[in-house]
Each structure stands twice: as C-alpha cells, then as structure tokens.
Amino acid sequence: MMTQWHEFLATQGAVIDNGIVTNFGNPQAELQTATGGHILADLSHLGLLQVAGDDAVTFLQGQLTNDVKQLDGSTSHYAGYCNPKGRLLALFLAFAHQDHIHLQLDGALVESILKRLKMYVMRSKVVITDVTQDIVRIGVAGANSESLLKQLFDTVPQQPHQISTLEHVTLIRLPGPLARFEILTNSEYAAGLWEQLNAHFNPVGKNSWDYLEIHAGIPEIVPGTQEAFVPQMVNLDALGGINFKKGCYTGQEIVARTHYLGKVKRRTQLAHISTSEMAAPKAGDVIHAKGTQDAVGQIVRSAAAVEGGFDVLAEVRLDSLEAGTVDRQGNSLVILSLPYSLASE
C-alpha cells in the first residue's frame, strides 16, 4: 500500500513500482541530468533503524566495524555488520541524532537485520526500532548544490559526512566526487520541503541516484550478497568504514587478520559493461575470467549508464584484472577509476 508520502510524490509525477520511485517520466533524461545538472531523489527505498537506550553505544560498539563513539551528532560514517566469520550481513550509513543512533541500510534487509540485532540485546538497555516510515529522506546532488541549499537553510555541511541539524531538518553531506546531500525530515514538513527543493533541483528516480552512488564508489549489501564479502572486499576500509583500534566486535578477528597479515586479494572496482541486454546486471551475478568459466568475482551494485549499458561496482580478484573479466552474458568489464585509492594497490 502506497504511503502518504508516495501519494504526494505521485502528484509530482513519480512513477512508483513496489514502493520504489523508479522515475519521473523520462528515465534517460533524468540520468543525463544526474551527470551534469542538479537532481532531487526520494530515498525511501532505503531502510532506517533507530537504536536508543542507555546502552545503545556500548551495544553497537560490539556489533559494528566502525567506532560508534565517534558519532556525536556532527558526523556520520559507514559501518559494516558482520557474521562471526567476518562476512558482511549489512552495510550502514550510521549517524547520531538527539539521544539515539540511526542505521541506514538496504530496505530489503530491514526486517532480518532488526530481528538479528534484537537477538543480541538480551539485558542491555537498548531499544531498536524500524523508523523507515517515520522519517522522510531526500537526496540532492549537483556541482552547485551546496550554494543552492544555502538559499533554503541557514547551515549546510561543508565536508563529507558532516551533519547540520536545524529545527525541522537534518542535512548530511555524502562522500564522492560530486557534491551530494541527504536531507531528513518528518512527514509534516516533507511535501513543502520537496516543493522548495523542486524549484532548484530536477526530480529523478532511483537509478539516477544509484548511478551517482556507484560513481562515488559506495557499495551496498542486499539479500543476494549477504555473507559474500569480508569488508575490505567492498572497500569499506578505503571509505573509512572500519576502525582497527576500537576493540572487539562480531567478526573482528577475520577483518583484522585480513588487514594486518597480508595484502587484500579481492577488491571492488568501478566498471562499465556495454551490452544490448535489457536486464540489468544484478547484485550477486558472477563475474568470470575472460575466456574461461572461472568465477573471479561478482556484481556488488549496478545502474543503467548514460551512454548505454551499465555502470557497476564489481568485486573481483585483483590478479584477474590484467587478463580481463566478463559478466554472465560474456560482456567485458571495462575498468574505470574509483574516486579514492585502495591500500592494496
């Protein structure tokens, strides 16, 4: 059933499929705008958990790869949630607000991750709640987006991961080569805020936002890739999502061993796949060494590209890159430059 927020977006021209805003009538034009203009995107396809209580920080410190104590309301960071074997179950954008911590993740994982986290609360003074439907999240991006936002808000974050909290709105500056922001508000103010933003930014669907996330080198964990990757395989260390000094957490021994005892042999690359296939590469699709059936990696996330085909984040064995790799249809992966460096290279 479509929420009140989605009903409003529909009046603005949104095409909504299974609760996801896919486009605003012209996906190709929206994608073109994402690469050179200023865009506005609904982010309600992402889930949001709230962790509150006297023991919230201590509890999460024993669960996540990053240092939760650093979340003081002025900054966000990425953090992984691993199984005991150090394999990622979820990837969060984590930040504190007032007296609780928020964990943003792929929307399809909310139910299972909420259930799993609750299993480990036991007698701790911790309350974990799904607030996906309670907080509206909007993404904006574009070269001049900071100056455009300054026309609407008194304070706009200057640096990646910096947070500005205003009376009815919270802004988070996201990392990447293009200025991008996530704006959080409640349903009472969301429609009016969207209309104000719409005067400066062009509405786009999920694919256009995913395209920018991919070009920022930001991975995601979805149901099809749970337990597939150690955090370094999806570059979580390069994104500041692992703190190697914070102490123990679930899977910490494996993550630390990978860091201290040898070179990471598998990394996530930014790549383009030229194909006439209509179906997009899916997260979890196997990647093969060119000319063989040897599996050397898998797709992490994918989005339609401006020039046709798809741009992807693909986790691959580093020793296979020189010889070349292909997707499930035999299309070559053309490796592009990530916006950050990898320690193993």
Side-chain angles (χ1 to χ4, degrees), residues 46-49 105-115 130 132:
L46 299 172
L48 191 66
L49 300 178
L105 69 162
D106 177 71
L109 294 179
V110 168
E111 185 176 351
S112 63
I113 295 300
L114 177 62
K115 182 178 179 180
D130 176 8
T132 303

Side-chain angles (χ1 to χ4, degrees), residues 30-39 178 208 211-212 215 305-307:
E30 293 167 25
L31 189 54
Q32 291 280 357
T33 303
T35 63
H38 295 87
I39 65 164
L178 185 67
S208 295
Y211 177 87
L212 295 182
H215 278 263
V306 177
E307 66 272 32

Side-chain angles (χ1 to χ4, degrees), residues 49-52 55-69 71 79-81 92 94-95 100-103 117 124 126 128 246 248-250:
L49 300 178
Q50 177 178 291
V51 186
D55 298 330
V57 171
T58 301
F59 169 73
L60 289 176
Q61 197 75 337
Q63 302 294 325
L64 306 186
T65 60
N66 218 335
D67 188 354
V68 183
K69 294 179 181 178
L71 300 177
Y81 180 41
F92 301 128
F95 54 97
H100 49 256
I101 294 171
H102 281 132
L103 305 174
L117 283 170
S124 298
V126 176
I128 310 174
K246 58 162 281 187
C248 294
Y249 54 89
T250 304

Side-chain angles (χ1 to χ4, degrees), residues 3 33 36 82 86 107 109 152 156 163 165 187 203-204 211 219 247 282 298 325 339:
T3 64
T33 303
C82 300
L109 294 179
L152 302 176
V156 176
I163 295 175
T165 300
S187 57
V204 301
Y211 177 87
K282 300 189 302 296
Q298 57 186 301
T325 55

Side-chain angles (χ1 to χ4, degrees), residues 226-307:
Q226 280 188 302
E227 302 184 284
F229 309 119
V230 169
Q232 289 95 325
M233 292 180 184
V234 293
N235 306 344
L236 196 55
D237 52 339
L239 290 164
I242 308 172
N243 188 300
F244 293 102
K245 299 179 180 179
K246 58 162 281 187
C248 294
Y249 54 89
T250 304
Q252 182 263 344
E253 182 179 353
I254 304 300
V255 177
R257 185 186 305 161
T258 302
H259 176 69
Y260 289 113
L261 297 184
K263 183 177 179 180
V264 179
K265 298 179 180 179
R266 308 176 74 101
R267 282 291 195 178
T268 291
Q269 308 291 328
L270 173 61
H272 177 72
I273 301 175
S274 297
T275 176
S276 59
E277 296 287 333
M278 293 297 293
K282 300 189 302 296
D285 282 353
V286 174
I287 296 167
H288 298 279
K290 186 173 289 188
T292 77
Q293 290 300 308
D294 295 339
V296 296
Q298 57 186 301
I299 299 294
V300 176
R301 69 187 304 179
S302 167
V306 177
E307 66 272 32

Side-chain angles (χ1 to χ4, degrees), residues 58-334:
T58 301
F59 169 73
L60 289 176
Q61 197 75 337
Q63 302 294 325
L64 306 186
T65 60
N66 218 335
D67 188 354
V68 183
K69 294 179 181 178
Q70 294 178 356
L71 300 177
D72 59 1
S74 66
T75 187
S76 67
H77 63 214
Y78 294 109
Y81 180 41
C82 300
N83 68 11
K85 295 182 179 180
R87 297 275 169 161
L88 284 166
L89 295 165
L91 179 61
F92 301 128
L93 176 65
F95 54 97
H97 183 255
Q98 296 178 348
D99 58 350
H100 49 256
I101 294 171
H102 281 132
L103 305 174
Q104 185 168 264
L105 69 162
D106 177 71
L109 294 179
V110 168
E111 185 176 351
S112 63
I113 295 300
L114 177 62
K115 182 178 179 180
R116 187 181 181 96
L117 283 170
K118 284 184 174 181
M119 286 173 51
Y120 294 99
V121 170
M122 294 182 283
R123 296 184 180 180
S124 298
K125 296 179 181 178
V126 176
V127 177
I128 310 174
T129 311
D130 176 8
V131 294
T132 303
Q133 301 298 320
D134 302 329
I135 300 176
V136 175
R137 284 149 295 137
I138 299 168
V140 299
N144 297 319
S145 55
E146 180 181 334
S147 61
L148 291 173
L149 290 176
K150 285 180 178 178
Q151 299 179 33
L152 302 176
F153 305 111
D154 294 335
T155 306
V156 176
Q158 303 291 302
Q159 301 297 325
H161 287 294
Q162 186 179 352
I163 295 175
S164 296
T165 300
L166 308 176
E167 185 176 2
H168 301 297
V169 173
T170 297
L171 296 89
I172 304 174
R173 187 158 187 157
L174 301 173
L178 185 67
R180 297 186 304 133
F181 298 83
E182 180 169 340
I183 306 172
L184 300 93
T185 190
N186 58 42
S187 57
E188 181 180 356
Y189 296 97
L193 176 59
W194 181 275
E195 290 173 343
Q196 285 183 295
L197 292 166
N198 200 13
H200 304 279
F201 299 87
N202 298 293
V204 301
K206 179 178 181 293
N207 181 82
S208 295
W209 187 259
D210 286 348
Y211 177 87
L212 295 182
E213 284 274 280
I214 286 169
H215 278 263
I218 310 300
E220 64 178 355
I221 300 298
V222 299
T225 55
Q226 280 188 302
E227 302 184 284
F229 309 119
V230 169
Q232 289 95 325
M233 292 180 184
V234 293
N235 306 344
L236 196 55
D237 52 339
L239 290 164
I242 308 172
N243 188 300
F244 293 102
K245 299 179 180 179
K246 58 162 281 187
C248 294
Y249 54 89
T250 304
Q252 182 263 344
E253 182 179 353
I254 304 300
V255 177
R257 185 186 305 161
T258 302
H259 176 69
Y260 289 113
L261 297 184
K263 183 177 179 180
V264 179
K265 298 179 180 179
R266 308 176 74 101
R267 282 291 195 178
T268 291
Q269 308 291 328
L270 173 61
H272 177 72
I273 301 175
S274 297
T275 176
S276 59
E277 296 287 333
M278 293 297 293
K282 300 189 302 296
D285 282 353
V286 174
I287 296 167
H288 298 279
K290 186 173 289 188
T292 77
Q293 290 300 308
D294 295 339
V296 296
Q298 57 186 301
I299 299 294
V300 176
R301 69 187 304 179
S302 167
V306 177
E307 66 272 32
F310 299 90
D311 285 353
V312 301
L313 291 177
E315 178 268 339
V316 295
R317 269 186 8 214
L318 293 176
D319 62 8
S320 70
L321 290 177
E322 186 174 349
T325 55
V326 297
D327 72 355
R328 71 195 191 289
Q329 301 294 336
N331 301 297
S332 294
L333 273 70
V334 178

